[in-house]
Amino acid sequence: MKLTKKELTTKYTVFCLLIVLGALLQNVRGLWFQIGEARCFFLVPLTVLLGIDEDERTAAAMGLLAGLLWDTVSAQHMGYNAIFLMIACFVSSAFVTYLLRGTYWVGVVFSVLFSFLYVLVYWLLFVVTKGSTGAVSSFGWFYIPCFIYTAVMAFVLNLFLVPLKRKLNKEPKEEK
């Protein structure tokens, strides 16, 4: 079903508000709880899940927005989050558009995959290349717990995002 201009505006406004909320929960200390030192990187699964059923350009734009919001509060790696999230959203949307169906589990798998790639690439580019002592141990005590926390949240986020996206896309409810 083709959405009207007003419905599309409402849909993308809600998506942008969710991205801003995710950025606030992730980046403002005290708004969301930490488990030990592990933080949840909300923006990775959120943008991937929102972009799954969109066309590639729209998904990439959502990833770029989320990454820019994240980069505004990061001191060390300006541009990394914007580029990573834009590519992640583009790739996941392209896979769903051309090869896969946008199901719950496809969204979770892509979210978990890109969450792991995010922490791995970040650790390699910004921790290991500095050559500091303890770079290897930081992967085990900080980056892996952050990945696990983010992966678990991907399951939970997708539980709420699937019905919201169906409602915004005016899709009929599935009968059991």
Side-chain angles (χ1 to χ4, degrees), residues 9 15 17 35 60 63-64 74 133 147 152-153 156:
T9 303
F15 283 6
L17 290 173
I35 300 175
L64 181 64
S74 63
T133 59
F147 157 69
V152 169
M153 287 306 296
V156 176

Side-chain angles (χ1 to χ4, degrees), residues 52-71:
I52 283 279
D53 291 322
E54 303 299 322
D55 69 277
E56 297 88 5
R57 287 177 293 170
T58 305
M62 285 190 286
L64 181 64
L65 169 67
L68 289 173
L69 287 173
W70 197 348
D71 282 333

Side-chain angles (χ1 to χ4, degrees), residues 22-132:
L24 287 172
L25 288 174
Q26 173 180 305
N27 296 320
V28 176
R29 188 173 292 275
L31 284 184
W32 191 258
F33 59 92
Q34 291 182 220
I35 300 175
E37 290 298 315
R39 295 179 40 227
C40 182
F41 302 134
F42 280 106
L43 291 177
V44 178
L46 180 65
T47 54
V48 169
L49 291 170
L50 287 176
I52 283 279
D53 291 322
E54 303 299 322
D55 69 277
E56 297 88 5
R57 287 177 293 170
T58 305
M62 285 190 286
L64 181 64
L65 169 67
L68 289 173
L69 287 173
W70 197 348
D71 282 333
T72 59
V73 297
S74 63
Q76 296 176 341
H77 52 273
M78 293 303 289
Y80 170 74
N81 295 313
I83 292 168
F84 183 87
L85 289 177
M86 184 176 63
I87 292 170
C89 290
F90 179 86
V91 168
S92 60
S93 176
F95 265 96
V96 169
T97 299
Y98 298 112
L99 294 176
L100 305 169
R101 287 183 348 163
T103 64
Y104 174 85
W105 289 108
V106 167
V108 168
V109 166
F110 273 112
S111 296
V112 169
L113 172 71
F114 283 115
S115 296
F116 181 72
L117 284 175
Y118 177 83
V119 297
L120 179 66
V121 172
Y122 183 90
W123 176 73
L124 287 171
L125 289 177
F126 301 107
V127 178
V128 172
T129 57
K130 284 186 178 180
S132 62

